[in-house]
Amino acid sequence: MKWTSQSKNSGESMPCGGGDIGLNVWVENGDVLFYLSRSGAFDENNIFPKLGRVRVRISPNPFEKGAEFRQELKLQEGYVEIAGKSGNQEVILKVWIDVFNPVVHVDVSGNKPVTVNAWYESWRTEDREVQAREKNASSFKWLKDKVIASKDIVHTHQNGILFYHQNKDSTLFDLAVKQQQLEPLKPALWNPLKGMVYGGWMQGENMVPDLDKGKLKAVSGKYVNAPFQGFGLRSKAAARTHQLNVFLHIDDNSHVGKWKSGLAAVVSKVKKEEQTARKKTLDWWKAYWQRSHIAVNARKPDAASPIWQVGRNYQIFRYMLGCNAYGSYPTKFNGGLFTYDPVFIDSTLKFGPDYRSWGGGTFTAQNQRLVYWPMLKSGDFDMMSSQFNFYLRTLGNAEARTKHYWGHKGASFTEQIENFGLPNYAEYGQKRPKDFDPGLEYNAWLEYLWDTSLEFCLMMLDIERFTGSDISKYLPLIESCTVFFDEHYQYLAEKRGAKKVNQNGHLIIFPGSAAEMYKMTYNSVTTISGLKTVLSRLLALPEIYGTPDQRKDWESRLSRVPPLSFRQMQGHQTIAPAQAWERIQNTEIPQLYPVFPFSMYGVGLPDLEVAVNTWKYDTEAIKNRNYTSWHQDNIFCARLGLTEEAAALTIKKLQDSGRRFPAFWGPGHDWVPDHNWGGSGMIGLQEMLMQTVGDSIHLFPAWPQDWDVHFKLHAPHNTTVEGELKNGKVHNLKVIPEARKKDVVMAEWAKSY
């Protein structure tokens, strides 16, 4: 990805990252700028803020107007390189992040001596009230509560600039606990916002702070809609090379003194490892690209071709996911680490760069799942633990609320879930009827919607299936999620009548929800297919998992899950969204969740026609077809072997975004860059190319014959499949281990390899 002109603004920025740090990098009016973002930083209001902006200016300036210019994302090496040539002066600036340490490096080199000025810029130097629509970046969203964003602290420290934010004693967590009538449990609930301190230290080799009468000089300015103050470093003397470093640190349950000690430890570790850090980071990115790829029509690159763009954008979006490989929190669906000034997305949103729609510390489960499903076939198993650990950390809170409200066991994970495992503060409902169940969200879209957690349970089970690695630590979570449905719906049935189950011994899953689409359902398709698949997969685990008594419990729970429901649509049998429901809303197609993610229907599975009929003839499904954001129609079509439809939808998903950086899709239903848009695009492309059913590996089940492709994907049982399709013929098919080659089922049209 190479640009030969400077950017107009941050909306034309380029992503750069590694480990758990993301930067938006751009050059504007001769200055190099980047926003700093790190996974796990949340303020009192549960905003996920930028940690600041850095501005770098070189003198003489090689990026002045009329100079030769190049900004390039070095995808294979994972960094951004900016080059300028003015007359006989040449300068190259490299921005890279250490994958294994939280530090940003800016390396400047030139053929002649230059000086460097760098400013740390903050728009949070004073307390201020968060404005109406701006609250969408917090957990308050549309509420009328008065929300104060408290200031950061910036000052000099050891010839550098120290900046940090200390969360106040009272945070969004305290409000949510009180709102949700959980105060008796409060001392035992996990609270990640309490005492959180985040920030960093900007330092340059042979650079000193810009002082005024012994104090750090503050330069006032305004970028787009946000007034800021800049705090500068300047090089002591002109030189041909310069190094600028930004060390970042986050500490929860902390205080400023402890945080500073932790930051000092980060700096010390980086200094000790500086001779090997660059190579280790380059090696990591090399290994990342070696383990998986999909390149479409790579032998005939054509930037104007939407089909070629599909392959290129798959790769660069996977790069964006790799930038938060080891985050303490999952990559957020609504922008990840790469949000920027919102006015360049919606001209009415005249707010600062901390803004994103749908909250900062709120993790919408239906959207998050699409960010993490593609990591299985791409072999990025180590990156999935960020999402899994999110649920592990919040398990205690989810179980505690279940016990407190209803007196039974199991984890009730809601759809709009805060980073501490309780329902989102705004969507829980402020104006609740007096006798409304306090365990429920008073929200037309979210009521009774608990089953998305089952998808993450299935991902955990798939980790064992793909890699054989030990998933014992996830077993209590998976069990708790299935126990909740078993116990809660018997609890509700007993409150209505004398029997806990129906005449067939099945749960009566009412009231329920099929995604946010079909509400007040009786036996929702998403809940049933999720429970059947997860419990069946628990029982299929090697015998080392679960005691005999546990396995009897799994079998018993599975026996109580009711069957799916069906209905006639336009003269064809189709999968029904539920046995019954009270209302329809939103624009989803949950009746195809037994296709994806729960793999009960699809290529190589029984009764494929019923699922195909659901796509073709269900008028409600037809009405809600879409490709933007979290819509997964491309995945459904791929799983159903509908090649033409899958290809057309995948092109719409993964073709250039229309923004300067082609994988900055959105906003769609969410925000820019829309990571569940990219994630669902990745899944669909993978499923077009390879699907696994039992031990079988189906190649090209929904792949157009005229799309050349080189690929390497991962399959269950520690298997990789690599090969090339050229002019409808398969070349160089390599299956490791080779014994798995017998399990390959080639599309009928593909010529022998």
Side-chain angles (χ1 to χ4, degrees):
M1 177 61 56
K2 186 186 299 184
W3 297 339
T4 56
S5 63
Q6 297 184 26
S7 300
K8 297 175 183 177
N9 50 57
S10 63
E12 297 187 351
S13 56
M14 182 179 282
C16 180
D20 64 353
I21 293 171
L23 313 177
N24 294 73
V25 182
W26 75 103
V27 181
E28 182 178 351
N29 296 325
D31 289 347
V32 178
L33 299 106
F34 56 85
Y35 282 125
L36 292 159
S37 187
R38 189 178 181 202
S39 174
F42 304 105
D43 78 357
E44 299 92 337
N45 306 308
N46 233 358
I47 293 172
F48 177 19
K50 298 295 183 185
L51 298 185
R53 180 175 56 236
V54 173
R55 181 185 301 266
V56 179
R57 185 176 298 158
I58 300 170
S59 183
N61 196 340
F63 309 125
E64 63 185 8
K65 190 174 182 179
E68 292 182 30
F69 177 83
R70 173 176 57 84
Q71 179 174 337
E72 185 173 358
L73 174 58
K74 299 282 191 177
L75 199 64
Q76 296 297 314
E77 296 85 9
Y79 73 96
V80 169
E81 181 174 279
I82 302 167
K85 183 178 181 182
S86 180
N88 58 3
Q89 179 201 11
E90 296 182 48
V91 171
I92 294 177
L93 184 148
K94 296 179 180 180
V95 184
W96 64 280
I97 290 92
D98 187 333
V99 168
F100 303 101
N101 291 294
V103 56
V104 179
H105 296 278
V106 180
D107 298 337
V108 179
S109 62
N111 64 341
K112 293 185 174 184
V114 294
T115 59
V116 173
N117 287 75
W119 291 268
Y120 170 77
E121 297 181 347
S122 174
W123 46 94
R124 297 186 299 263
T125 54
E126 299 291 339
D127 291 357
R128 67 174 191 87
E129 185 174 355
V130 180
Q131 301 303 307
R133 290 176 67 191
E134 188 183 8
K135 291 180 200 170
N136 280 305
S138 73
S139 292
F140 293 90
K141 295 184 178 176
W142 52 79
L143 299 182
K144 294 183 179 180
D145 302 45
K146 185 174 183 178
V147 178
I148 302 297
S150 59
K151 68 179 180 180
D152 295 353
I153 304 299
V154 184
H155 58 75
T156 58
H157 175 73
Q158 296 181 352
N159 270 345
I161 296 170
L162 190 73
F163 55 93
Y164 61 88
H165 181 93
Q166 164 80 70
N167 277 356
K168 292 181 177 178
D169 291 339
S170 178
T171 69
L172 186 279
F173 172 86
D174 301 286
L175 293 174
V177 168
K178 182 177 181 179
Q179 172 203 48
Q180 296 167 28
Q181 302 178 35
L182 293 170
E183 287 188 299
L185 307 182
K186 188 175 181 180
L189 295 176
W190 178 63
N191 177 6
L193 299 182
K194 182 180 180 180
M196 178 176 283
V197 189
Y198 54 80
W201 181 54
M202 186 171 81
Q203 167 266 348
E205 299 303 314
N206 297 312
M207 299 184 80
V208 293
D210 192 3
L211 304 178
D212 182 12
K213 296 180 181 179
K215 292 185 178 180
L216 185 60
K217 184 177 179 181
V219 179
S220 297
K222 186 175 183 180
Y223 186 78
V224 194
N225 294 297
F228 69 87
Q229 288 188 317
F231 305 89
L233 296 176
R234 55 181 174 79
S235 50
K236 293 179 182 178
R240 291 177 62 182
T241 62
H242 298 269
Q243 288 181 316
L244 179 72
N245 306 307
V246 187
F247 303 87
L248 302 178
H249 182 53
I250 302 172
D251 201 355
D252 57 11
N253 231 343
S254 183
H255 54 79
V256 172
K258 182 170 174 281
W259 175 82
K260 287 181 178 178
S261 296
L263 177 62
V266 169
V267 174
S268 177
K269 184 172 183 288
V270 170
K271 296 294 185 183
K272 287 179 182 177
E273 298 176 4
E274 63 183 348
Q275 298 302 317
T276 58
R278 185 72 180 125
K279 184 178 186 304
K280 285 182 178 179
T281 290
L282 290 172
D283 287 347
W284 189 90
W285 282 110
K286 182 179 180 180
Y288 186 68
W289 296 116
Q290 285 178 341
R291 71 186 181 212
S292 179
H293 59 269
I294 298 177
V296 182
N297 290 348
R299 293 179 182 272
K300 297 174 287 185
D302 178 3
S305 164
I307 297 172
W308 181 83
Q309 291 170 11
V310 162
R312 189 270 311 274
N313 294 342
Y314 174 98
Q315 298 294 99
I316 61 176
F317 182 70
R318 182 167 171 252
Y319 164 77
M320 291 164 64
L321 295 182
C323 293
N324 190 35
Y326 304 130
S328 59
Y329 278 82
T331 296
K332 288 221 65 189
F333 72 95
N334 54 342
L337 298 172
F338 302 114
T339 55
Y340 50 84
D341 298 85
V343 72
F344 302 121
I345 297 164
D346 181 338
S347 61
T348 67
L349 299 176
K350 301 181 186 299
F351 309 128
D354 295 333
Y355 181 88
R356 68 177 76 212
S357 288
W358 297 106
T362 305
F363 290 77
T364 305
Q366 284 273 357
N367 304 41
Q368 286 297 132
R369 66 197 178 94
L370 295 170
V371 179
Y372 281 85
W373 272 121
M375 295 182 189
L376 288 164
K377 283 195 169 74
S378 62
D380 300 321
F381 311 116
D382 56 337
M383 290 164 47
M384 300 181 77
S385 59
S386 294
Q387 180 67 69
F388 297 166
N389 290 339
F390 172 88
Y391 280 95
L392 280 184
R393 285 194 303 266
T394 55
L395 175 60
N397 287 6
E399 289 179 330
R401 71 184 299 273
T402 299
K403 189 72 173 176
H404 180 69
Y405 295 134
W406 305 301
H408 61 74
K409 295 185 294 183
S412 53
F413 287 110
T414 57
E415 169 66 11
Q416 291 277 10
I417 186 172
E418 301 287 17
N419 45 13
F420 42 82
L422 302 182
N424 168 250
Y425 181 71
E427 311 229 28
Y428 179 78
Q430 297 291 86
K431 298 179 180 179
R432 299 167 61 88
K434 183 178 179 182
D435 298 322
F436 196 77
D437 185 341
L440 294 177
E441 292 162 290
Y442 187 62
N443 182 293
W445 283 263
L446 302 177
E447 60 190 13
Y448 301 102
L449 182 50
W450 297 303
D451 56 25
T452 318
S453 62
L454 297 172
E455 290 198 43
F456 297 103
C457 293
L458 183 55
M459 288 184 209
M460 295 167 194
L461 292 163
D462 271 342
I463 286 289
E464 189 281 332
R465 188 179 182 190
F466 272 70
T467 70
S469 57
D470 186 356
I471 61 165
S472 297
K473 66 179 180 179
Y474 300 130
L475 207 59
L477 170 64
I478 299 169
E479 278 211 285
S480 192
C481 289
T482 59
V483 163
F484 170 76
F485 289 94
D486 192 61
E487 296 214 359
H488 192 67
Y489 282 103
Q490 291 187 66
Y491 160 82
L492 290 178
E494 195 173 31
K495 288 176 73 70
R496 291 193 303 267
K499 297 290 185 180
K500 294 182 179 181
V501 294
N502 70 10
Q503 62 188 12
N504 298 314
H506 294 145
L507 296 175
I508 304 159
I509 305 179
F510 173 83
S513 185
E516 295 183 22
M517 177 73 179
Y518 296 86
K519 304 304 295 184
M520 300 297 286
T521 57
Y522 186 104
N523 290 350
S524 157
V525 65
T526 56
T527 307
I528 290 171
S529 57
L531 287 170
K532 280 185 175 291
T533 300
V534 169
L535 287 165
S536 297
R537 289 287 301 279
L538 270 174
L539 288 164
L541 285 172
E543 292 296 325
I544 60 169
Y545 292 99
T547 65
D549 286 343
Q550 281 179 299
R551 286 181 168 269
K552 286 180 182 178
D553 286 342
W554 301 344
E555 289 176 351
S556 179
R557 267 178 249 150
L558 180 58
S559 72
R560 286 191 289 275
V561 179
L564 293 174
S565 299
F566 301 89
R567 60 178 173 171
Q568 292 289 310
M569 299 290 279
Q570 300 188 67
H572 298 270
Q573 187 182 32
T574 65
I575 304 166
Q579 193 170 334
W581 53 91
E582 291 185 3
R583 67 181 189 273
I584 300 175
Q585 58 191 44
N586 215 331
T587 56
E588 298 166 289
I589 310 178
Q591 48 268 59
L592 285 172
Y593 276 44
V595 175
F596 175 84
F598 294 120
S599 303
M600 298 175 70
Y601 295 90
V603 171
L605 291 167
D607 302 321
L608 174 62
E609 184 181 4
V610 175
V612 173
N613 288 344
T614 308
W615 170 257
K616 287 185 174 181
Y617 302 112
D618 185 322
T619 54
E620 291 157 11
I622 293 169
K623 179 182 177 181
N624 291 311
R625 291 178 182 176
N626 202 332
Y627 68 90
T628 62
S629 285
W630 39 255
H631 288 278
Q632 51 192 45
D633 302 30
N634 60 317
I635 308 171
F636 295 147
C637 290
R639 283 273 177 104
L640 296 173
L642 303 175
T643 301
E644 187 175 340
E645 294 96 321
L649 287 163
T650 297
I651 287 172
K652 288 182 177 181
K653 275 281 188 187
L654 290 179
Q655 68 184 357
D656 287 357
S657 64
R659 303 180 187 278
R660 188 168 201 189
F661 193 76
F664 277 9
W665 296 287
H669 301 300
D670 299 313
W671 197 235
V672 176
D674 187 334
H675 279 42
N676 53 194
W677 185 319
S680 55
M682 285 184 72
I683 300 164
L685 192 66
Q686 291 171 348
E687 296 295 320
M688 289 169 62
L689 190 52
M690 185 184 82
Q691 296 178 32
T692 59
V693 181
D695 288 337
S696 297
I697 302 169
H698 293 256
L699 286 184
F700 312 110
W703 193 264
Q705 296 183 40
D706 58 345
W707 287 20
D708 289 355
V709 63
H710 190 283
F711 67 95
K712 182 179 181 181
L713 293 173
H714 293 246
H717 312 308
N718 286 301
T719 302
T720 58
V721 182
E722 184 174 5
E724 184 176 8
L725 180 72
K726 185 180 178 183
N727 299 324
K729 186 174 182 179
V730 180
H731 300 265
N732 305 316
L733 184 66
K734 184 191 297 184
V735 182
I736 299 175
E738 194 169 343
R740 289 276 276 144
K741 204 165 188 178
K742 63 178 174 51
D743 298 321
V744 171
V745 180
M746 195 70 68
E748 290 184 9
W749 55 263
K751 297 178 181 178
S752 60
Y753 50 89

